């Protein structure tokens, strides 16, 4: 069974008419957007949504999900998004799909952030997955060196022959730290580097994790 789809469809049961919904990015969030689209199309669900990437926005619009902006609302009611890794305190690494900046803006402006993932994304310690850091293009070489001086092996994310460019016209540097012993401290040290726009550590933002299993079950934390 598709563990990502199972987690995503379970999360969508939490979405109610009248809500403003944050739509995540990635192959797990894809299934949540499909399911929301199906419920919207049936006429049983009336929501408005803010997407975390151009890709997710296009998918939502193609399914008839109304897209709004932050100018239209005070707060998002619920955001459903994937993760690259999650620990048991619900600290996350995100940004494997390159959308971490918008994902963090959306998550920090949401009453609830529901994380959906294949159960294999749940780890004891974050850090096996290289931490994505979105950086300004100007001076990126220096930002790269400063990240390296924090003790990681940095790699500029590429798309074919060229550097990968985010929806916000920035680069991403993927930083292999190995096991991250103190995620909040590392989060702050990275964001203190001039040239860093945002990093993929999501600390204290997730309200719930719904992990899908191959046997069709879900594990829910907390
Ligand atoms: C995109 C993300 C994704 O949520 C993360 O990469 C997980 O992706 P997937 O659901 O495809 O495994 O942070 O920036």
């Amino acid at each position: 069974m598709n563990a990502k789809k199972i987690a995503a469809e379970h999360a969508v049961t939490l979405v109610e008419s009248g809500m403003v919904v944050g739509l995540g990015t990635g192959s797990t969030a894809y299934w949540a957007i499909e399911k929301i689209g199906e419920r919207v199309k049936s006429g049983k669900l009336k929501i408005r949504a803010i997407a975390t990437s151009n890709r997710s926005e296009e998918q939502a619009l193609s399914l008839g999900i109304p897209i709004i902006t932050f100018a239209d609302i005070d707060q998002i009611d619920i955001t459903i998004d994937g993760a690259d890794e999650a620990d048991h305190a619900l600290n996350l690494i995100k940004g494997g799909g390159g959308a971490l900046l918008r994902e963090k803006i959306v998550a920090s402006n949401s009453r609830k952030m529901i994380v959906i993932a294949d159960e294999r994304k749940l780890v004891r310690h974050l850090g096996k997955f290289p931490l994505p850091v979105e950086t300004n293009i100007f001076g990126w070489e220096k930002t790269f060196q400063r990240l390296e001086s924090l003790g990681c092996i940095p790699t500029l994310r590429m798309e074919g022959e060229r550097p990968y460019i985010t929806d916000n016209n920035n680069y991403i540097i993927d930083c292999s730290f190995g096991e991250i012993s103190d995620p909040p401290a590392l989060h702050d040290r990275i964001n203190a580097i001039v040239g860093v726009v945002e990093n993929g550590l999501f600390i204290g933002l997730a309200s719930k994790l719904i992990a899908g299993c191959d046997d069709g079950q879900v594990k829910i934390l907390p």
Side-chain angles (χ1 to χ4, degrees):
M1 292 179 110
N2 184 337
K4 293 183 176 190
K5 188 172 181 218
I6 288 160
E9 295 191 344
H10 192 91
V12 173
T13 63
L14 303 173
V15 177
E16 295 166 11
S17 277
M19 283 182 165
V20 175
V21 182
L23 304 174
T25 294
S27 57
T28 318
Y30 168 88
W31 291 113
I33 300 170
E34 286 293 305
K35 192 69 188 174
I36 291 170
E38 195 183 301
R39 288 181 60 197
V40 166
K41 206 169 246 172
S42 75
K44 289 184 190 141
L45 184 69
K46 293 205 182 330
I47 56 138
R48 295 174 299 158
I50 294 189
T52 53
S53 62
N54 294 340
R55 225 177 324 154
S56 294
E57 181 167 317
E58 280 160 23
Q59 184 191 356
L61 288 171
S62 75
L63 296 167
I65 301 171
I67 293 291
I68 56 168
T69 72
F70 281 106
D72 303 312
I73 54 153
D74 285 335
Q75 227 188 348
I76 294 170
D77 294 297
I78 189 169
T79 287
I80 301 177
D81 201 355
D84 299 301
E85 279 183 352
D87 68 16
H88 286 76
L90 299 195
N91 296 315
L92 314 172
I93 287 184
K94 285 185 54 56
L100 70 99
L101 176 59
R102 294 192 191 186
E103 289 172 337
K104 200 178 265 189
I105 293 170
V106 166
S108 359
N109 286 288
S110 299
R111 285 193 183 91
K112 281 186 193 164
M113 180 200 188
I114 311 297
V115 180
I116 49 175
D118 179 316
E119 66 167 335
R120 284 168 278 259
K121 302 275 187 83
L122 192 56
V123 296
R124 191 185 282 267
H125 296 288
L126 299 178
K128 194 165 176 202
F129 191 92
L131 176 65
V133 178
E134 183 153 349
T135 61
N136 203 288
I137 293 177
F138 182 82
W140 74 269
E141 299 89 339
K142 292 292 159 203
T143 312
F144 186 98
Q145 285 170 4
R146 292 204 173 155
L147 286 166
E148 194 168 29
S149 72
L150 295 183
C152 68
I153 301 170
T155 311
L156 180 66
R157 191 178 296 184
M158 302 296 286
E159 192 165 41
E161 301 286 293
R162 292 162 188 233
Y164 173 83
I165 306 276
T166 69
D167 284 350
N168 320 298
N169 290 316
N170 295 312
Y171 284 169
I172 287 195
I173 299 174
D174 292 301
C175 299
S176 294
F177 279 98
E179 192 176 301
I180 297 172
S181 55
D182 187 346
L186 182 62
H187 173 280
D188 292 352
R189 288 178 77 196
I190 293 174
N191 279 10
I193 297 173
V194 176
V196 166
V197 178
E198 192 48 86
N199 75 79
L201 280 168
F202 282 47
I203 311 294
L205 289 174
S207 336
K208 197 179 274 300
L209 172 91
I210 301 178
C213 311
D214 290 341
D215 63 3
Q217 302 289 311
V218 288
K219 287 182 190 159
I220 302 180
L221 287 179

